Amino acid sequence: TACARERGAVPVHEGRAGGRAVRERAGSPATVVELGGQDAKIVRLAGSGPDMQMNDRCAAGTGATLDRVARRLGLDHEALRAARLSGDLSVAAKCGVFAETDVVNLVKRGATPLAALSALVRAMVVQNLAVLARGNTLMPPVLLLGGPHAHLPILRDAWEETLLSLWLQRGIEPGEVVVPEHAELYAAFGAALLAAAGARPLAQVRGVIASARIDGVTRATDRELAPLRCSPSVTRGAARVHLGIDAGSTTAKAV
């Protein structure tokens, strides 16, 4: 926070930034679930008013556990992108270390890596529902945000499978479970929109970019990326831009 203020940037809570992006890009979801590298959030927007529950104390239901287990299973990025739910095996996901051990033991007993991964993502969904939803029903439509959801279709499938079962059990009309385009960038996108609303001076934005390049923060993203379709729009050669940065536990994203 102090570093941001020195550079003329305005820190905003990731929940507020994500909520701003959801309002801009995602219509009217009743529930938002965001999984990051080390934390998880569920925001219920339906009912009496917004309610957010966050777990940043345990990485069991987040991307860090998925990364470790995928490496142990020998699954590369392409294999993870292609993976779909398989089998009906079960593991516990109360703790990331225990989950990793359980998955490895499944494979030692003859389970395929895909069946073991399927058991893990189902357990992660159940764990997040138990810890964050606390018995409350997540009403549809449900929006899934964060890198794990953006990059692992099998995780979205696990949410859809579990929530559909719950909705049918509780007499609730099933709805959509959606991973939007650029789901991993919503917090950064919301920060940019909030920066635009604050009309930060261009000189200060330039200072942030120059400092970031000197510190080596942007080396991994120096290549040109396709712009997001957003409002306000940013065009090449524009006199003013608005920078949004999401510095997470294990990754950093900028819009």
Side-chain angles (χ1 to χ4, degrees):
T1 299
C3 179
R5 286 174 177 155
E6 287 175 6
R7 288 164 167 78
V10 179
V12 295
H13 190 276
E14 58 185 303
R16 182 186 174 205
R20 180 66 182 84
V22 167
R23 289 194 299 274
E24 178 73 25
R25 295 178 62 86
S28 302
T31 306
V32 178
V33 180
E34 181 178 4
L35 300 188
Q38 295 281 356
D39 63 16
K41 293 178 286 293
I42 288 181
V43 183
R44 291 185 290 125
L45 301 172
S48 58
D51 173 69
M52 184 181 82
Q53 298 295 331
M54 180 174 179
N55 179 13
D56 57 357
R57 298 178 182 178
C58 176
T62 64
T65 295
L66 280 167
D67 284 344
R68 289 198 305 271
V69 171
R71 286 194 294 270
R72 293 291 295 270
L73 295 176
L75 298 172
D76 61 16
H77 178 72
E78 292 303 319
L80 291 173
R81 291 286 296 179
R84 293 298 184 271
L85 288 177
S86 172
D88 57 359
L89 300 175
S90 299
V91 295
K94 187 174 183 180
C95 170
V97 176
F98 295 162
E100 185 176 355
T101 301
D102 287 351
V103 168
V104 171
N105 286 336
L106 283 179
V107 175
K108 288 181 177 178
R109 295 199 301 266
T112 65
L114 180 56
L117 180 66
S118 297
L120 176 66
V121 295
R122 286 181 172 120
M124 289 175 61
V125 169
V126 171
Q127 171 70 3
N128 279 307
L129 286 173
V131 173
L132 299 176
R134 299 178 182 179
N136 294 301
T137 303
L138 301 190
M139 301 301 292
V142 176
L143 191 72
L144 303 178
L145 302 180
H149 291 138
H151 302 304
L152 298 176
I154 191 173
L155 187 55
R156 189 210 72 88
D157 294 345
W159 278 105
E160 185 174 57
E161 177 187 81
T162 303
L163 290 174
L164 178 60
S165 177
L166 283 175
W167 290 333
L168 293 176
Q169 288 175 20
R170 299 176 183 182
I172 296 170
E173 183 69 25
E176 288 187 313
V177 179
V178 178
V179 178
E181 186 180 17
H182 302 302
E184 75 279 24
L185 297 176
Y186 264 56
F189 179 62
L193 289 174
L194 291 167
R200 306 309 303 166
L202 181 63
Q204 292 182 335
V205 173
R206 280 179 175 158
V208 172
I209 295 173
S211 298
R213 290 189 182 280
I214 289 171
D215 295 339
V217 173
T218 61
R219 284 179 193 158
T221 56
D222 277 346
R223 66 187 186 282
E224 184 175 336
L225 302 177
L228 293 173
R229 296 184 180 88
C230 61
S231 176
S233 62
V234 179
T235 58
R236 195 170 289 130
R240 182 179 294 276
V241 299
H242 303 288
L243 180 67
I245 300 174
D246 173 21
S249 303
T250 59
T251 61
K253 284 83 69 181
V255 172

